[in-house]
Amino acid sequence: MRLAAPAAAMQPFMDSVVSVVPHTRAAEIAAPVRLPACVREAAPLEAGGEVGRNAADNQWSVSIRLADIPAGVEIVRGAVVLPDRAARRPRLMAEKVSVNGGVLHLECSARERG
């Protein structure tokens, strides 16, 4: 059985506003899109990561309601999530993308892809 959480259930957790730069295969650079999101860092020590110098290896989770994404904007692997200036988060790169119950889930890392 597959469980799906309705997008409305995520609304209380949408406590951040992020700018997402969609990944494009074209030569042009996509314009950033500002979206309400739920951004969480995996517990660094429990996830096998570290605090400090190697913190870029830590995983981050970004959830965005599909209804908030403008028509024509496709957020796929390779998208970049830019935090607001006031947020104490690094620039994140989407490594995995999935959809569940009207919510787009991005598994991200702060490490640049090679």
Side-chain angles (χ1 to χ4, degrees):
M1 171 174 44
R2 184 170 181 179
L3 298 176
M10 286 295 295
Q11 188 60 42
F13 303 103
M14 299 294 172
D15 58 359
S16 299
V17 174
V18 296
S19 293
V20 178
V21 181
H23 177 72
T24 63
R25 292 185 182 93
E28 74 274 359
I29 297 174
V33 179
R34 289 183 53 80
L35 299 166
C38 174
V39 181
R40 300 289 179 257
E41 181 179 14
L45 299 178
E46 291 176 19
E50 296 183 26
V51 177
R53 188 174 67 216
N54 294 325
D57 292 330
N58 294 348
Q59 293 296 304
W60 293 75
S61 169
V62 178
S63 299
I64 301 166
R65 292 182 329 141
L66 291 174
D68 293 332
I69 301 173
V73 173
E74 185 179 10
I75 300 173
V76 297
R77 183 177 185 262
V80 177
V81 179
L82 305 170
D84 279 347
R85 290 183 187 132
R88 294 183 166 213
R89 287 190 293 270
R91 172 184 154 129
L92 303 173
M93 277 60 68
E95 296 179 347
K96 294 181 183 177
V97 179
S98 61
V99 174
N100 185 344
V103 178
L104 180 74
H105 298 281
L106 308 174
E107 291 181 35
C108 301
S109 171
R111 182 166 302 280
E112 293 280 348
R113 292 188 313 166

